[in-house]
Amino acid sequence: MSKPTVILATSNGIGMGHLARASAIAKALKTEANPIIVSMAGGIAEIPEALEIPCEYIPGKDRRWMPRPKWDLYLRDRLVALIDETDAKVLTYDGVVPYAGVIAARIARPNVKLVWIRRGLWQKKIHRFALPLQSKSMDLIIEPGDFAFAYDHGPTSKRHDAIRTAPVSLYQSNEALSKEESRKVLGLDQNRPAVLVQLGTGADDANEKMTAALKGLLGWPDLQVVLTKEPVDRNGKSLAPEGLDLKVIRYFPLAKVLAAFDAGVCATGYNGVHELLAAKLPTVLVSNIRGMDDQEARAKWCHDFGYALRANQADLNDITKTVKELQDSNIRASLIHKCSELPTPIGGEEIANKLLKFAEEKTGKKNNIARKFLFQSLRYLAIGYRLIVKQKPGDGVGSEPIVFSNSTSASELHKYIRSGNRFEHLISNGSTKYQAARKVIAETYYN
């Protein structure tokens, strides 16, 4: 019996949370199924090479390479083409708002089962009003567990339409490298302390938080400070104080080399918490309050129960002061001890097993008339939301011919994705029929 194909689609969220969960689930699926990840997030460039999982990048609506009403149909046709090419049995979507194009793909291919991987801990924002409508368009809803579930008082916490699993994490102790191996891979000194800093930059408040956090590391003897992006503002000015030994790395999945570090400073996203704390890394959490993720609730739970230190994200002095506490070896030892009490994040395996079982089930097809109504409603809601909420300008698009590539190289994919040119990414083993279909789709919507 051939393995079923499962397509795992994700939105372009803040950070790597959606992609990390999809990657963890795909890894668990590999022995029994053929997982394919599709995403609007640029971080997908890392996955084919690092995890040997087939992937496709889809330019998101925010790139503004085509009008929004067209993009919904473009997404539909991209997903339908991939379903037809791979004979996929299940399509999952990990994101806050299921795009109308995802619903439309399910309408066009009613034999495919649609599953929403819906993370909890939502903030009470306008998106919550669409929850009943979105939920009805799904065949199954799965909620990845959260260490901080007890502090979830958001709109999803009152619903009873999802199957909750253990937390999902790319960190697995049996796959993690030792401290010596991790430092060798990252090019770090074996005998000096090292701290990982994973905070965003760009907006003025984010830049100020980065500087405040780095100030808290001053005075730590012989420290190596490791960042995942250059600590500079949009004009290229350094956000780091003088006196720190900084090293910028790119390694995926970072969960595999967390043993290299003596401590960490990160935002309180799903991904960071369920990797760093699962790896027993003494951590200061500095929440990002943008987006739908209630990072403050997660940070408070982690702090209240002694699993991490929480810095007040609105107080730069408190960020510096709290990060400085990591220099105390007794505090680090206490955090390590507490984190050893956390449950093992085996949600990726649990979700993979549920998807495999669901792929084999014969489910009753929902009324497609109702689904079409939901599709149109979600389209109008999305367009209306864009009119009400001011959006940042898109990337713009070059006039050069469309680039088609089935590359699995991280460096090549980053180059294509960051370019202003229209880029169409194809799975590496696609048929000539699929390639032809994709060219028709691109020409139809880009023109």
Side-chain angles (χ1 to χ4, degrees):
M1 185 176 178
S2 61
K3 294 180 179 180
T5 295
V6 177
I7 299 173
L8 302 123
T10 88
S11 66
N12 184 11
I14 297 172
M16 284 283 288
H18 301 303
L19 268 178
R21 283 191 295 272
S23 297
I25 296 166
K27 281 181 62 183
L29 280 168
K30 282 177 73 173
T31 56
E32 303 294 333
N34 298 313
I36 300 172
I37 298 176
V38 300
S39 179
M40 296 101 217
I44 196 172
E46 304 285 350
I47 295 173
E49 192 171 64
L51 302 182
E52 297 183 343
I53 295 169
C55 294
E56 283 192 354
Y57 169 72
I58 300 178
K61 61 186 183 302
D62 293 333
R63 301 205 74 168
R64 313 285 172 86
W65 285 4
M66 62 189 71
R68 174 57 200 265
K70 259 192 170 186
W71 184 83
D72 290 322
L73 302 177
Y74 165 77
L75 176 59
R76 176 200 64 190
D77 289 357
R78 281 285 306 264
L79 293 173
V80 167
L82 188 58
I83 289 167
D84 290 348
E85 168 70 8
T86 61
D87 191 27
K89 304 302 181 187
V90 177
L91 168 64
T92 76
Y93 174 78
D94 189 318
V96 173
V97 178
Y99 297 125
V102 174
I103 308 300
R106 171 63 174 80
I107 293 170
R109 295 295 180 268
N111 291 324
V112 172
K113 302 176 179 73
L114 181 58
V115 180
W116 190 4
I117 310 294
R118 191 184 69 194
R119 172 190 49 72
L121 264 78
W122 285 30
Q123 294 189 55
K124 294 179 181 178
K125 294 188 176 182
I126 191 171
H127 301 73
R128 70 186 188 274
F129 296 114
L131 255 174
L133 193 63
Q134 295 162 345
S135 300
K136 287 179 180 177
S137 66
M138 300 295 154
D139 297 307
L140 181 68
I141 302 173
I142 298 175
E143 180 179 317
D146 198 304
F147 287 155
F149 169 73
Y151 278 24
D152 187 355
H153 302 294
T156 64
S157 66
K158 306 297 189 295
R159 300 186 66 83
H160 304 285
D161 53 3
I163 298 170
R164 188 177 300 115
T165 69
V168 177
S169 176
L170 273 174
Y171 176 80
Q172 299 297 320
S173 59
N174 62 326
E175 297 177 356
L177 298 180
S178 67
K179 182 175 182 177
E180 182 180 355
E181 291 171 322
S182 297
R183 290 196 167 192
K184 185 176 181 180
V185 166
L186 298 178
L188 298 178
D189 191 300
Q190 293 286 350
N191 301 311
R192 295 167 56 199
V195 172
L196 173 66
V197 179
Q198 289 181 291
L199 295 176
T201 59
D204 290 342
D205 62 331
N207 294 342
E208 291 171 347
K209 291 177 187 178
M210 173 66 86
T211 300
L214 292 174
K215 283 181 180 178
L217 297 174
L218 290 170
W220 191 329
D222 295 324
L223 183 67
Q224 305 170 88
V225 180
V226 178
L227 302 103
T228 53
K229 60 169 62 177
E230 290 283 351
V232 295
D233 65 17
R234 63 190 63 179
N235 298 315
K237 181 181 177 183
S238 176
L239 301 171
E242 293 290 333
L244 291 176
D245 180 7
L246 302 178
K247 182 180 181 67
V248 178
I249 63 163
R250 194 185 85 183
Y251 186 91
F252 183 85
L254 201 57
K256 192 174 180 179
V257 293
L258 290 176
F261 306 105
D262 297 278
V265 181
C266 78
T268 324
Y270 187 99
N271 183 35
V273 166
H274 293 96
E275 289 185 9
L276 271 62
L277 301 194
K280 304 179 184 63
L281 189 66
T283 301
V284 168
L285 300 172
V286 184
S287 298
N288 180 349
I289 60 173
R290 292 185 175 85
M292 278 296 291
D293 192 14
D294 193 348
Q295 293 199 7
E296 278 290 77
R298 190 179 290 116
K300 287 175 182 175
W301 182 89
C302 293
H303 178 269
D304 289 352
F305 290 91
Y307 299 109
L309 302 178
R310 171 186 171 265
N312 182 351
Q313 61 85 28
D315 185 337
L316 298 178
N317 289 329
D318 188 67
I319 292 173
T320 299
K321 173 178 171 291
T322 306
V323 171
K324 197 171 187 67
E325 292 181 36
L326 287 175
Q327 299 189 35
D328 187 328
S329 60
N330 292 325
I331 289 176
R332 296 201 305 275
S334 174
L335 293 171
I336 292 170
H337 175 72
K338 282 299 296 181
C339 285
S340 67
E341 301 173 3
L342 288 167
T344 305
I346 57 171
E349 185 177 335
E350 288 184 13
I351 293 174
N353 289 334
K354 291 183 187 302
L355 294 178
L356 286 169
K357 184 178 179 181
F358 195 48
E360 297 172 355
E361 291 180 4
K362 292 183 179 180
T363 57
K365 298 173 187 174
K366 292 188 178 181
N367 189 330
N368 253 7
I369 295 176
R371 281 193 184 276
K372 288 174 183 176
F373 171 75
L374 291 169
F375 163 62
Q376 295 295 353
S377 299
L378 288 170
R379 286 189 76 194
Y380 293 136
L381 282 169
I383 293 168
Y385 176 76
R386 298 291 159 187
L387 293 173
I388 295 170
V389 180
K390 187 177 180 181
Q391 302 294 300
K392 65 181 181 180
D395 296 342
V397 60
S399 57
E400 291 82 358
I402 301 167
V403 174
F404 292 87
S405 174
N406 61 1
S407 175
T408 59
S409 161
S411 58
E412 283 187 10
L413 289 175
H414 276 300
K415 180 185 70 175
Y416 288 138
I417 292 170
R418 290 169 181 163
S419 166
N421 287 353
R422 295 163 293 185
F423 169 53
E424 289 288 294
H425 187 210
L426 296 85
I427 51 173
S428 57
N429 59 347
S431 67
T432 54
K433 182 179 179 182
Y434 180 60
Q435 294 169 24
R438 285 289 306 280
K439 286 184 178 180
V440 170
I441 292 169
E443 290 166 0
T444 298
Y445 290 103
Y446 286 125
N447 291 334

